[in-house]
Amino acid sequence: RPGENIPVDGEIIDGTTAVNESALTGESIPVDKQPKDAVSAATVNQSGFIKCRATRVGEDTTLSQIIQMVSDAAATKAPIAKIADRVSGVFVPAVITIAIITIIAWLIAGETVGFALARGISVLVISCPCALGLATPVAIMVGNGKGAKSGILFKTAASLEATGRTQIVALDKTGTITSGEPKVTDIVPDETFFEGTGNNAGKLLAIAASVEAKSEHPLAKAIMERAKTDEIAVAEVTDFSAVVGNGLTAILAGKMIKAGNLAFVSKFVKVSDDMRAKAVEFSKEGKTPLFFAADDRLCGIIAVADTIKEDSPEAVRQLKNMGIRVVMLTGDNEQTANAIGKQA
């Protein structure tokens, strides 16, 4: 059911939904799922009711494998620790031998046993052979612990050691450089649809919010948030239907409203060249244009964007100051990637 954790890895056999997979992938935007799509343990079903067939349970699930991986990392030895062990293997006997020679030398010189022992112990304490064998494993353990607190998991102790020699850092875009929470950035009403003057942007937002009120999609939530902020009244719609991956339809005040991407809405209404140009412009700026139409006429465009985090430019600057090359990787389109990259 919506809001519940998916208990094991499986495959959807009935129903459509959006699943929050951030616990596994770090992606904060929910992923649309339909029959035959795979779902994983520890992810959260956010919208629709789904029926799944379990494919991997217990220790076979992706989550269990990640837990095992972190556990194995804590048990493995880093290359530097192996070197420390080898050095300790020679260093410890050598220091003990020197300490014994020191005691014998002072006894031969005619000093008391107490005096000779004190000098021998001084050699042991100052050279401290045990510290070398202890310090390296403790440093690795502390490094693993601090990483885990920051949500960074090391696959092996060797990976932790290699981090100190990092030259390039690859950052994911969604939820890492950006906030992962889409927000409405632009409202462009089609002036030919709205007769008379007044707050046409507000009227378009009212239509959009009324239709999107029944949708669980993250972009719909962005429109609802904006309507709430602007104190826009939301009307009741009937015959609501979501078309997965395209948009949605509903009847509002006797008019058939269609909302979604350009490909979906342009099947039903004529989209002017001006509006198409606006949509291209929004895409270049890293925004997602959503089209709204009533019956056979276009109402306008609302642009939604996953805005950049306030501290992202500073984080990128700090990494660059450390002499590290910063790269952004994303599955998003190239125009959006370029726009976010420029801002960061």
Side-chain angles (χ1 to χ4, degrees):
R1 289 190 293 268
E4 290 189 332
N5 275 3
I6 293 168
V8 295
D9 289 2
E11 184 182 279
I12 297 176
I13 53 174
D14 185 36
T16 59
T17 187
V19 177
N20 184 340
E21 297 185 334
S22 58
L24 288 183
T25 64
E27 288 287 353
S28 51
I29 298 229
V31 180
D32 290 332
K33 300 279 185 181
Q34 50 197 14
K36 294 193 176 175
D37 284 348
V39 290
S40 303
T43 60
V44 181
N45 179 26
Q46 288 211 315
S47 50
F49 177 86
I50 52 170
K51 194 181 281 185
C52 304
R53 178 174 59 247
T55 54
R56 293 189 295 176
V57 299
E59 291 180 0
D60 295 330
T61 64
T62 307
L63 179 69
S64 295
Q65 287 171 8
I66 291 172
I67 293 168
Q68 188 59 47
M69 183 182 80
V70 176
S71 172
D72 291 346
T76 58
K77 273 194 175 180
I80 193 87
K82 290 174 184 172
I83 293 167
D85 288 348
R86 280 205 299 273
V87 172
S88 294
V90 177
F91 187 62
V92 174
V95 169
I96 291 171
T97 305
I98 293 165
I100 292 167
I101 292 168
T102 304
I103 293 167
I104 293 167
W106 281 112
L107 289 171
I108 291 168
E111 292 291 347
T112 61
V113 173
F115 184 90
L117 269 175
R119 299 304 170 274
I121 291 166
S122 297
V123 171
L124 285 175
V125 170
I126 292 164
S127 55
C128 199
C130 56
L132 184 70
L134 290 171
T136 310
V138 168
I140 290 163
M141 191 170 68
V142 170
N144 266 322
K146 281 189 79 71
K149 276 185 182 175
S150 302
I152 301 164
L153 306 179
F154 292 97
K155 202 166 184 178
T156 61
S159 308
L160 172 60
E161 185 185 327
T163 306
R165 298 192 293 274
T166 300
Q167 292 175 312
I168 301 170
V169 167
L171 300 174
D172 178 38
K173 180 180 74 67
T174 309
T176 306
I177 294 174
T178 64
S179 63
E181 293 176 4
K183 289 183 173 64
V184 171
T185 55
D186 302 86
I187 302 172
V188 184
D190 190 326
E191 300 300 339
T192 59
F193 176 82
F194 296 100
E195 293 169 5
T197 55
N199 184 13
N200 290 346
K203 290 175 189 173
L204 174 58
L205 187 57
I207 293 170
S210 300
V211 179
E212 300 283 8
K214 291 190 175 181
S215 173
E216 290 289 333
H217 200 277
L219 300 183
K221 287 180 181 173
I223 289 171
M224 296 308 297
E225 282 291 322
R226 179 61 180 265
K228 193 176 175 184
T229 305
D230 292 3
E231 297 180 348
I232 299 289
V234 177
E236 189 65 35
V237 297
T238 56
D239 293 348
F240 176 86
S241 172
V243 185
V244 177
N246 282 301
L248 43 88
T249 61
I251 292 174
L252 172 66
K255 291 184 176 180
M256 173 60 82
I257 307 294
K258 295 171 186 73
N261 57 32
L262 175 61
F264 176 68
V265 174
S266 61
K267 288 178 190 172
F268 308 100
V269 300
K270 187 178 185 300
V271 180
S272 68
D273 290 341
D274 281 354
M275 283 299 193
R276 286 176 185 269
K278 276 276 182 198
V280 171
E281 198 179 304
F282 287 143
S283 296
K284 284 180 180 173
E285 292 169 4
K287 300 168 185 175
T288 303
L290 302 174
F291 291 77
F292 294 87
D295 288 337
D296 58 351
R297 293 175 67 193
L298 186 72
C299 305
I301 303 172
I302 293 180
V304 178
D306 182 7
T307 51
I308 193 166
K309 285 181 185 173
E310 289 178 13
D311 54 359
S312 288
E314 178 58 29
V316 171
R317 195 178 300 116
Q318 285 188 22
L319 285 167
K320 284 183 173 178
N321 289 343
M322 289 162 70
I324 294 170
R325 182 180 169 214
V326 189
V327 177
M328 182 177 75
L329 298 178
T330 179
D332 212 331
N333 67 68
E334 196 174 341
Q335 290 174 329
T336 304
N338 285 333
I340 296 295
K342 211 171 280 181
Q343 288 175 47

